[in-house]
């Protein structure tokens, strides 16, 4: 409603009207009797109803039944014959002006050209032939009500039928309804039904599943009404929008929505832009007050009333002073003003500096459900009014649903307010929001039950960064995006993890540390220091994160970028690298008499700065607040930009020298050893106790790689010795070749055909107690498998239940085998 934007909307309307694209006509519109306004197609929810469904309608105390076909007969004029028709909207029969049959339906061939008698209104209804009639639906004879049904209106236009309005803007029956004038539209159904029975014309009802149009804003049943409104002729503009996609001037992502684009625009109808609301941009159209009774209304458009008077004067060949105008009270459809936004926001119709510098735009991102309602209209109006496409790429995301995949609805209580996720909210406050809404009492209770089920403890404070990252972690190109608050909260914890990594780095750097040449030495770290293998590994992973993120942005696969960034920060930097370098940093400081790792510490410090600088710039588009806060603090140690907002996004070519597939392969091997070593600790409840670990590798090449020495660490340690010992939480670590005998007092775990690890448990666990515990678990698992077998062998078990039972049995059998191996290992220790 900004003055400049209002001026732009007026300018667009007048230009389109002057160009002959906007015109005034009386046609059917989607009318909400509750709002007393026409509504757009996107504001109409089409409910799929089962037969005999009763739903609440605004303005009615009792629920109204839908999903039934009412059958009644029309008498044929000058004959004893009758023609039975079926309808889901009995109230509209009062506005019938014809009965249609299919021209090839032999049941009614003898009635072609005859007339039926309306039982309540003094009208004869011609029996017409039209191919739109489905002979298999109902009786094959269709009542035609041009004033209250879109299909009937088109039939009426084809056959030049009169349109009789029997329902007014308030949902009441008009004078044309005869004896039923003043009835509410759904109450009159009963009255008409009774009157038909009295005349012997009622033929019963049938169950009928149906689609019911409901106003999404009011919950009212949409009523098609004939109203004089302003329309935009979209045919020419739609053809240009279709050609823009076919010629690749406009790219729609995902591409499968191009079919939707073509389907909508190649079958487009003219756009009703009038709305009967108290807010919005008022239509700049003026009616000339006529001095001659019965004269047809004359309308003119103008940027101001004065301009409109000048135009009216020319049109009527009179002086402007003799003209009296009344401006249309309606406002333009919100989608009309929204469609102008790409260029009106930049100052159009003025050729501002912003307009010249930034128009056209490059990318539009929005939901796929408004591809036609907004995107197509932006393309049409932008092309028409500026001569250019407003943007050349459109990225469409799926509909945001709740954690269960349900569309968000106030009545379900599953609407997630972003501010509630950012700031947190109690269950009591969520209930209060529903209570203060305009939902009926029964819907309020239903919504509160849904909230209690989904958010028993309310919604925790997650912050804007966590919310944004969580939304981008979904594949936005899918039809649905299921938003789970638990998932969002996990990214709040991820933010904490990043903070902890930064604090660790601060402590490692100390108050006086600084790299003056940073980041100009990027890519030279490996040559500057004698880096360890784990250092090389984290730099290689840094390269992969940057590479994946850049590729993901190019293809708009944001979920791939967030996954790569999360994996680097959480799974690689924090969980692995920081743990591996703790022993290095905990050794005596460089320069002391006992220090032997000055280069090691310097390398780690530099690599930590490199990882933080790059990691923060990579995550900034998703977590700008966290990234900016930590980036500013990083300035104390390295040379960075004054703000992360102006810092360049990491580019792959800057990090390509870090890629090292050999080290990554060795690290993967090491991590598998760590994973199984930790599983042994868990299986035997070694929570704090450390055990001796032996790694026996038959492959001499792999063993040599594991025992390769670094100049970085103490000479008695190999390159992978310290990382493996640290990550596996081992008391000591020993590598064994293929000739070494298996150590005594150990349990053996197989890593691969060539590798085994031995964890020394003798003296660390109570063998008898562990055996007793696992024996009980073994028997319990056996019993569970036996019960499942009995269920699978039972004829009472349903087929869909069998699939779940087979999966459950497979899981239990795997667990049983693991417990069996544990017991066998314990027997070897006893």
């Amino acid at each position: 409603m900004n003055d400049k934007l209002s001026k732009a909307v007026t300018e667009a309307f007048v230009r389109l009207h002057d160009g002959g694209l906007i015109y005034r006509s009386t046609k059917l519109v989607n009318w909400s009797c509750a709002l007393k306004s026409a509504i757009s197609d996107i504001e109409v929810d089409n409910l799929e109803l089962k037969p005999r469904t009763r739903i609440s309608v605004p303005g009615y105390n009792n629920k109204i039944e839908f999903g039934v076909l009412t059958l009644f007969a029309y008498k044929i004029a000058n004959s004893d014959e009758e023609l039975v028709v079926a309808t889901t909207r009995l109230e509209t029969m009062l506005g019938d002006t014809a009965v249609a049959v299919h021209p090839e339906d032999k049941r009614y061939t003898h009635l072609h050209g005859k007339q039926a008698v309306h039982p309540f209104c003094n009208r004869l209804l011609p029996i017409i032939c039209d191919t739109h009639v489905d002979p298999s639906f109902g009786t094959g004879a269709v009542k035609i009500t041009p004033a209250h049904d879109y299909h009937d209106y088109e039939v009426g236009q084809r056959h030049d039928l009169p349109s009789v309005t029997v329902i007014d803007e308030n949902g009441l029956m008009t004078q044309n309804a005869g004896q039923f004038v003043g009835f509410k539209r759904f109450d009159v159904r009963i009255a008409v039904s009774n009157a038909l029975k009295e005349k012997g014309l009622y033929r019963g009802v049938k169950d009928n599943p149906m689609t019911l149009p409901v106003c999404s804003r009011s919950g009212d049943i949409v009523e098609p009404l004939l109203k004089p409104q302003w329309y935009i002729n979209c045919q020419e503009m739609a053809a240009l929008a279709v050609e823009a996609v076919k010629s690749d001037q406009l790219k729609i992502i995902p591409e499968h929505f191009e079919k939707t684009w073509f389907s909508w625009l190649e079958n487009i109808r003219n756009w009703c832009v009038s709305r009967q609301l108290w807010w919005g941009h008022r239509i700049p159209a003026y009616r000339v007050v006529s001095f001659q009774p019965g004269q047809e209304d004359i309308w003119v458009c103008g940027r101001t009333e004065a301009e409109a008077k000048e135009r009216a004067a020319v049109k009527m060949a009179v002086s402007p002073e003799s003209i009296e105008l009344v401006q249309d009270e309606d406002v333009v459809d919100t989608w009309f003003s929204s469609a102008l936004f790409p260029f009106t926001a930049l100052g159009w119709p003025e050729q501002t500096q912003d307009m010249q510098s930034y128009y056209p735009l490059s990318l539009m991102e929005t939901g796929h459900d408004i591809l036609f309602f907004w995107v197509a209209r932006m393309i049409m109006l932008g092309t028409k009014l500026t001569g250019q496409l407003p943007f050349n790429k459109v990225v469409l995301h799926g509909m945001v649903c709740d954690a269960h995949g349900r569309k968000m609805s106030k009545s379900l209580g599953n609407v997630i307010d972003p501010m509630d996720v950012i700031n947190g909210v109690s269950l009591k406050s969520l209930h209060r929001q529903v209570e203060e809404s305009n939902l009926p009492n029964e819907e309020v209770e239903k919504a509160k039950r849904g909230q209690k089920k989904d958010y028993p403890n309310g919604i925790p404070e997650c912050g804007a960064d966590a919310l944004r990252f969580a939304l981008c972690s979904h594949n936005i190109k899918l039809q649905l995006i299921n938003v789970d608050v638990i998932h969002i909260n996990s990214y709040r914890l991820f933010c904490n993890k990043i903070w902890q990594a930064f604090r660790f780095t601060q402590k490692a750097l100390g108050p006086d540390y600084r790299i003056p040449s940073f980041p100009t030495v990027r890519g030279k770290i490996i040559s500057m220091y004698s880096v360890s293998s784990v250092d090389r590994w984290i730099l290689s992973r840094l390269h992969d994160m940057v590479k994946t993120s850049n590729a993901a942005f190019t293809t708009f696969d944001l979920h791939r970028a967030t996954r790569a960034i999360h994996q680097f920060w959480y799974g690689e930097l924090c969980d692995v690298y920081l743990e591996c370098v703790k022993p290095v940093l905990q050794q005596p400081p460089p320069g002391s008499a006992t220090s032997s790792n000055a280069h090691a510490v310097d390398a780690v410090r530099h690599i930590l700065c490199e990882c933080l600088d790059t990691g923060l710039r990579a995550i900034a588009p998703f977590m700008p607040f966290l990234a900016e806060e930590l980036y500013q603090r990083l300035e104390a140690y390295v040379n960075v930009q004054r703000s992360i907002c102006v810092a360049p996004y990491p580019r792959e070519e800057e990090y390509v020298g870090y890629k090292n597939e050999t080290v990554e392969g060795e690290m993967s091997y090491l991590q598998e050893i760590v994973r199984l070593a930790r599983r042994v600790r868990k299986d035997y409840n070694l929570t704090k106790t450390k055990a001796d670990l032996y790694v026996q590798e038959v492959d001499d090449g792999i063993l040599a790689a594991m025992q390769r020495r670094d100049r970085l660490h103490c000479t008695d340690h190999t390159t992978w010795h310290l990382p493996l010992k640290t990550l596996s939480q081992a008391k000591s670590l020993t590598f064994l070749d293929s000739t070494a005998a298996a150590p005594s007092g150990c349990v053996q775990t197989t890593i691969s055909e060539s590798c085994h690890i031995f964890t020394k448990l003798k003296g660390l666990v109570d063998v008898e107690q562990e055996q007793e515990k696992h024996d009980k678990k073994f028997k319990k698992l056996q019993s569970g498998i036996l019960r499942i077998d009995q269920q699978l062998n039972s004829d009472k078990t349903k087929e869909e239940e069998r699939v779940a039972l087979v999966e459950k049995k497979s899981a239990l059998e795997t667990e049983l085998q693991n417990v069996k191996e544990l017991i066998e290992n314990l027997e070897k220790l006893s």
Side-chain angles (χ1 to χ4, degrees):
M1 301 305 290
N2 175 283
D3 286 341
K4 289 184 178 180
L5 294 181
S6 294
K7 178 183 176 182
V9 171
T10 298
E11 179 68 26
F13 193 98
V14 172
R15 287 193 189 185
L16 293 171
H17 181 268
D18 291 349
L21 292 180
I22 288 186
Y23 64 96
R24 188 171 175 84
S25 179
T26 300
K27 296 182 180 181
L28 281 182
V29 298
N30 297 320
W31 187 266
S32 169
C33 297
L35 297 176
K36 294 182 176 56
S37 172
I39 59 175
S40 66
D41 290 342
I42 197 173
E43 294 172 304
V44 179
D45 292 333
N46 291 307
L47 299 184
E48 300 294 333
L49 299 183
K50 296 179 180 179
R52 297 187 178 276
T53 301
R54 304 184 71 87
I55 65 173
S56 298
V57 178
Y60 292 82
N61 294 326
N62 300 318
K63 291 185 177 182
I64 308 300
E65 184 179 57
F66 296 92
V68 293
L69 271 177
T70 302
L71 288 79
F72 67 93
Y74 276 125
K75 292 293 185 181
I76 304 301
N78 304 316
S79 168
D80 294 332
E81 287 188 87
E82 66 179 27
L83 184 57
V84 178
V85 297
T87 179
T88 59
R89 304 183 64 209
L90 186 58
E91 67 276 11
T92 63
M93 67 86 61
L94 299 170
D96 287 356
T97 57
V99 177
V101 296
H102 195 281
E104 297 179 4
D105 192 336
K106 296 180 180 180
R107 293 174 295 175
Y108 303 118
T109 303
H110 65 292
L111 297 179
H112 293 180
K114 293 188 177 183
Q115 294 177 313
V117 179
H118 199 290
F120 306 121
C121 306
N122 188 23
R123 287 198 298 272
L124 290 176
L125 312 180
I127 299 172
I128 60 175
C129 296
D130 199 285
T131 54
H132 104 286
V133 176
D134 180 1
S136 65
F137 180 77
T139 64
V142 180
K143 55 184 283 302
I144 302 298
T145 320
H148 294 285
D149 184 274
Y150 284 101
H151 293 296
D152 291 1
Y153 179 78
E154 293 175 0
V155 173
Q157 294 292 298
R158 288 196 292 270
H159 295 272
D160 197 24
L161 298 174
S163 297
V164 179
T165 299
V166 293
I167 301 173
D168 67 13
E169 297 175 352
N170 300 305
L172 302 177
M173 306 310 291
T174 68
Q175 293 289 342
N176 293 327
Q179 68 194 66
F180 303 102
V181 62
F183 275 80
K184 288 184 175 182
R185 56 178 171 155
F186 295 126
D187 288 345
V188 82
R189 288 183 175 182
I190 299 174
V192 171
S193 178
N194 291 335
L196 287 170
K197 290 176 182 176
E198 290 176 4
K199 291 179 175 288
L201 299 174
Y202 184 77
R203 296 295 180 266
V205 296
K206 289 182 179 179
D207 292 350
N208 178 60
M210 63 179 292
T211 301
L212 189 68
V214 176
C215 174
S216 62
R217 290 161 53 196
S218 65
D220 192 19
I221 308 304
V222 173
E223 187 64 51
L225 287 187
L226 278 173
K227 302 286 293 181
Q229 309 274 270
W230 292 97
Y231 289 84
I232 298 180
N233 186 329
C234 298
Q235 308 304 316
E236 178 188 339
M237 293 187 293
L240 293 174
V242 168
E243 180 57 30
V245 174
K246 287 185 176 180
S247 62
D248 284 336
Q249 297 176 63
L250 177 66
K251 193 72 176 174
I252 298 177
I253 303 167
E255 289 186 2
H256 63 80
F257 280 108
E258 289 183 3
K259 292 183 179 179
T260 306
W261 182 268
F262 297 142
S263 174
W264 277 341
L265 293 177
E266 289 172 351
N267 299 283
I268 196 169
R269 295 186 299 179
N270 289 347
W271 175 15
C272 173
V273 291
S274 296
R275 294 293 178 268
Q276 294 68 39
L277 303 171
W278 287 108
W279 59 89
H281 300 280
R282 194 170 178 182
I283 291 176
Y286 300 80
R287 180 176 58 84
V288 178
V289 177
S290 175
F291 299 102
Q292 300 178 16
Q295 182 179 350
E296 184 178 346
D297 288 343
I298 297 175
W299 288 86
V300 292
C301 286
R303 295 167 181 82
T304 63
E305 186 174 353
E307 183 184 26
K309 277 191 176 183
E310 293 289 342
R311 293 184 174 206
V314 172
K315 191 172 187 177
M316 300 179 68
V318 297
S319 66
E321 292 76 18
S322 64
I323 299 290
E324 183 181 350
L325 301 178
V326 176
Q327 187 174 357
D328 195 332
E329 293 185 352
D330 291 352
V331 298
V332 294
D333 182 5
T334 304
W335 292 113
F336 179 83
S337 52
S338 299
L340 308 175
F341 191 72
F343 46 96
T344 57
L346 298 174
W348 186 92
E350 306 297 331
Q351 282 301 312
T352 63
Q353 186 63 45
D354 284 349
M355 188 72 183
Q356 295 175 27
S357 300
Y358 303 119
Y359 190 83
L361 312 175
S362 57
L363 173 68
M364 174 67 192
E365 198 284 336
T366 188
H368 68 74
D369 52 323
I370 54 175
L371 174 62
F372 175 72
F373 299 105
W374 192 23
V375 178
R377 287 164 175 172
M378 282 191 283
I379 293 296
M380 290 192 296
L381 294 184
T383 304
K384 185 65 181 178
L385 294 172
T386 71
Q388 301 178 80
L389 291 172
F391 34 77
N392 54 43
K393 284 183 182 177
V394 179
V395 177
L396 302 169
H397 66 246
M399 180 180 293
V400 179
C401 300
D402 69 6
H404 311 291
R406 302 173 301 177
K407 183 178 179 180
M408 292 191 185
S409 164
K410 289 181 180 179
S411 61
L412 292 176
N414 65 343
V415 176
I416 300 176
D417 185 334
M419 295 307 297
D420 287 340
V421 178
I422 293 170
N423 300 319
V425 65
S426 65
L427 179 60
K428 185 178 180 180
S429 295
L430 288 172
H431 285 348
R432 190 184 307 116
Q433 292 174 14
V434 173
E435 291 165 353
E436 293 173 354
S437 69
N438 58 358
L439 287 176
N441 291 334
E442 61 271 22
E443 296 289 347
V444 168
E445 294 306 313
K446 178 182 177 183
K448 288 167 71 174
R449 289 195 297 271
Q451 288 177 333
K452 187 174 182 179
K453 181 180 179 182
D454 287 343
Y455 318 116
N457 301 312
I459 297 176
E461 179 183 354
C462 298
D465 281 346
L467 173 59
R468 187 183 299 101
F469 197 90
L471 290 174
C472 292
S473 70
H474 293 273
N475 185 351
I476 64 171
K477 297 178 185 178
L478 298 178
Q479 288 288 104
L480 302 177
I481 298 175
N482 298 345
V483 177
D484 190 343
V485 172
I486 296 175
H487 182 219
I488 298 171
N489 192 49
S490 71
Y491 288 120
R492 178 184 68 83
L493 301 177
F494 174 47
C495 293
N496 293 345
K497 197 77 170 179
I498 295 174
W499 266 102
Q500 290 166 3
F502 191 87
R503 290 195 182 101
F504 176 92
T505 302
Q506 283 183 307
K507 186 177 180 181
L509 298 178
D512 302 321
Y513 181 80
R514 187 168 184 83
I515 306 177
S517 56
F518 189 90
T520 57
V521 295
R522 176 162 295 127
K524 300 178 182 178
I525 297 176
I526 296 174
S527 59
M528 287 175 61
Y529 304 97
S530 298
V531 295
S532 70
S533 291
V534 76
D535 293 333
R536 293 173 186 270
W537 171 78
I538 195 63
L539 291 173
S540 184
R541 298 309 303 147
L542 182 68
H543 161 268
D544 278 14
M545 183 269 287
V546 172
K547 179 181 178 180
T548 302
S549 298
N550 277 277
F553 278 119
T554 302
T555 57
F556 305 104
D557 293 313
L558 302 185
H559 63 292
R560 291 179 54 223
T562 57
R563 185 167 61 239
I565 292 168
H566 183 272
Q567 174 62 22
F568 175 77
W569 273 101
Y570 206 115
E572 293 163 352
L573 181 65
C574 293
D575 283 358
V576 179
Y577 185 70
L578 298 189
E579 294 300 320
C580 287
V581 300
K582 280 179 182 178
V584 177
L585 296 171
Q586 288 169 358
Q587 291 183 30
S592 67
T594 57
S595 172
S596 62
N597 70 329
H599 287 290
V601 173
D602 282 343
V604 168
R605 284 173 164 179
H606 200 143
I607 290 168
L608 286 173
C609 289
E610 177 80 329
C611 289
L612 260 61
D613 170 64
T614 305
L616 290 173
R617 286 187 290 123
I619 207 171
F622 306 105
M623 292 186 170
F625 298 111
L626 175 65
E628 184 67 60
E629 176 68 26
L630 297 183
Y631 192 76
Q632 296 287 343
R633 299 182 182 215
L634 190 62
E635 188 180 12
Y637 308 101
V638 295
N639 295 324
V640 295
Q641 299 285 347
R642 65 184 185 277
S643 168
I644 205 166
C645 297
V646 295
Y649 198 80
R651 301 190 307 273
E652 183 196 354
E653 56 266 25
E654 297 178 284
Y655 300 84
V656 70
Y658 292 158
K659 183 61 180 175
N660 192 321
E661 293 183 1
T662 300
V663 169
E664 287 200 39
E666 293 173 359
M667 187 61 169
S668 296
Y669 175 85
L670 179 143
Q671 286 180 302
E672 182 64 11
I673 295 175
V674 170
R675 184 183 70 83
L676 292 175
R678 287 180 174 179
R679 195 182 79 178
V680 171
R681 294 180 56 81
K682 181 181 178 182
D683 289 341
Y684 295 100
N685 200 28
L686 298 178
T687 53
K688 294 182 180 180
T689 307
K690 292 187 176 183
D692 296 325
L693 181 67
Y694 301 86
V695 179
Q696 185 173 47
E697 176 57 63
V698 176
D699 189 313
D700 292 338
I702 296 176
L703 184 61
M706 289 293 103
Q707 292 182 312
R708 186 176 62 246
R709 293 188 177 277
D710 278 338
R711 289 173 292 168
L712 182 63
H713 298 299
C714 300
T715 54
D716 59 337
H717 285 163
T718 61
T719 185
W720 291 113
H721 185 283
L722 191 58
L724 180 53
K725 179 184 174 185
T726 302
L727 295 175
S728 61
Q729 299 174 313
K731 180 180 179 181
S732 66
L733 174 64
T734 305
F735 286 105
L736 304 175
D737 60 23
S738 57
T739 62
S744 61
C746 297
V747 295
Q748 178 180 328
T749 307
T750 299
I751 305 297
S752 65
E753 291 182 0
S754 66
C755 181
H756 305 277
I757 63 172
F758 302 88
T759 306
K760 192 163 187 175
L761 297 181
K762 194 167 185 178
L764 300 180
V765 299
D766 187 326
V767 176
E768 292 184 4
Q769 184 178 345
E770 289 293 317
Q771 280 182 323
E772 183 180 352
K773 181 180 73 174
H774 288 97
D775 282 340
K776 288 181 180 179
K777 189 172 183 179
F778 187 84
K779 292 175 182 178
K780 184 178 180 181
L781 290 169
Q782 282 183 319
S783 300
I785 294 171
L786 181 61
R787 284 195 300 272
I788 291 176
D789 284 335
Q790 291 172 345
Q791 288 177 278
L792 290 173
N793 293 328
S794 172
D795 296 335
K796 296 180 180 179
T797 303
K798 297 178 181 179
E799 196 60 37
E800 57 268 22
E801 294 175 340
R802 292 181 181 276
V803 177
L805 286 171
V806 169
E807 291 179 356
K808 186 176 180 180
K809 180 183 177 182
S810 177
L812 290 179
E813 287 176 337
T814 300
E815 190 175 358
L816 184 71
Q817 182 61 33
N818 291 337
V819 174
K820 183 179 178 182
E821 291 177 4
L822 291 175
I823 293 173
E824 290 173 351
N825 284 329
L826 286 169
E827 288 175 350
K828 294 176 182 178
L829 294 177
S830 59

